[in-house]
Amino acid sequence: MSRSEHRGKLKILPIVAVLVLSVLAYGYWHSATHSSFYVSLDVVTEGDKNGLPALEAKLEFLDAKGSVLANGVRDKQYNFVHLMHPTYGDCQEAEKMAAFSSEARSSWQECFEHLSTWIATWIGD
């Protein structure tokens, strides 16, 4: 290997290091500022060890003082709880349309961004 080839490889090393550190920094920032929260709601009766899916439910998530942090509603079809952002809702309608147009996809991404950052503001409480 010639000296110029060796220098060329040494110039690439800092670029690769910066790229790797940038990806790691972005991942840390994203995990620190965005959240997801999964809730499944089942009804269990005496003598029934297997949970039966709840039919319809509205939930309130409370802090230690009893103040409402968030509201949710159970998805009847898939048995999970949609959290309701105070302004943007649960993004469900935008998500359904996202596969059919780039405008709907953009709308869903914006809604999801607001929802995921909003969850991070209260989930610790």
Side-chain angles (χ1 to χ4, degrees), residues 74-103:
R74 182 186 171 273
D75 183 287
K76 294 177 194 178
Q77 184 176 2
Y78 298 110
N79 191 33
F80 69 93
V81 176
H82 294 274
L83 293 175
M84 307 300 285
H85 186 281
T87 305
Y88 294 91
D90 67 353
C91 307
Q92 186 178 16
E93 291 305 314
E95 182 178 8
K96 287 179 184 177
M97 300 304 298
F100 303 107
S101 78
S102 60
E103 184 179 314

Side-chain angles (χ1 to χ4, degrees), residues 12-25:
I12 292 174
L13 187 62
I15 295 170
V16 170
V18 167
L19 287 174
V20 168
L21 289 175
S22 297
V23 168
L24 291 173

Side-chain angles (χ1 to χ4, degrees), residues 1-17:
M1 181 184 297
S2 72
R3 202 172 193 160
S4 62
E5 289 175 338
H6 187 65
R7 273 189 249 152
K9 288 184 179 182
L10 287 178
K11 288 180 182 179
I12 292 174
L13 187 62
I15 295 170
V16 170

Side-chain angles (χ1 to χ4, degrees), residues 5-119:
E5 289 175 338
H6 187 65
R7 273 189 249 152
K9 288 184 179 182
L10 287 178
K11 288 180 182 179
I12 292 174
L13 187 62
I15 295 170
V16 170
V18 167
L19 287 174
V20 168
L21 289 175
S22 297
V23 168
L24 291 173
Y26 174 77
Y28 174 78
W29 168 82
H30 195 272
S31 68
T33 60
H34 294 68
S35 295
S36 65
F37 185 55
Y38 177 81
V39 177
S40 177
L41 184 63
D42 294 322
V43 175
V44 179
T45 60
E46 279 190 49
D48 180 16
K49 305 236 189 260
N50 298 324
L52 300 172
L55 298 175
E56 189 172 314
K58 293 182 180 181
L59 287 86
E60 289 184 336
F61 296 91
L62 309 174
D63 65 9
K65 297 176 185 173
S67 300
V68 176
L69 298 169
N71 292 302
V73 63
R74 182 186 171 273
D75 183 287
K76 294 177 194 178
Q77 184 176 2
Y78 298 110
N79 191 33
F80 69 93
V81 176
H82 294 274
L83 293 175
M84 307 300 285
H85 186 281
T87 305
Y88 294 91
D90 67 353
C91 307
Q92 186 178 16
E93 291 305 314
E95 182 178 8
K96 287 179 184 177
M97 300 304 298
F100 303 107
S101 78
S102 60
E103 184 179 314
R105 193 172 314 110
S106 176
S107 176
W108 175 78
Q109 287 172 334
E110 179 183 347
C111 183
F112 184 77
E113 177 71 18
H114 287 285
L115 187 65
S116 65
T117 55
W118 167 71
I119 292 170

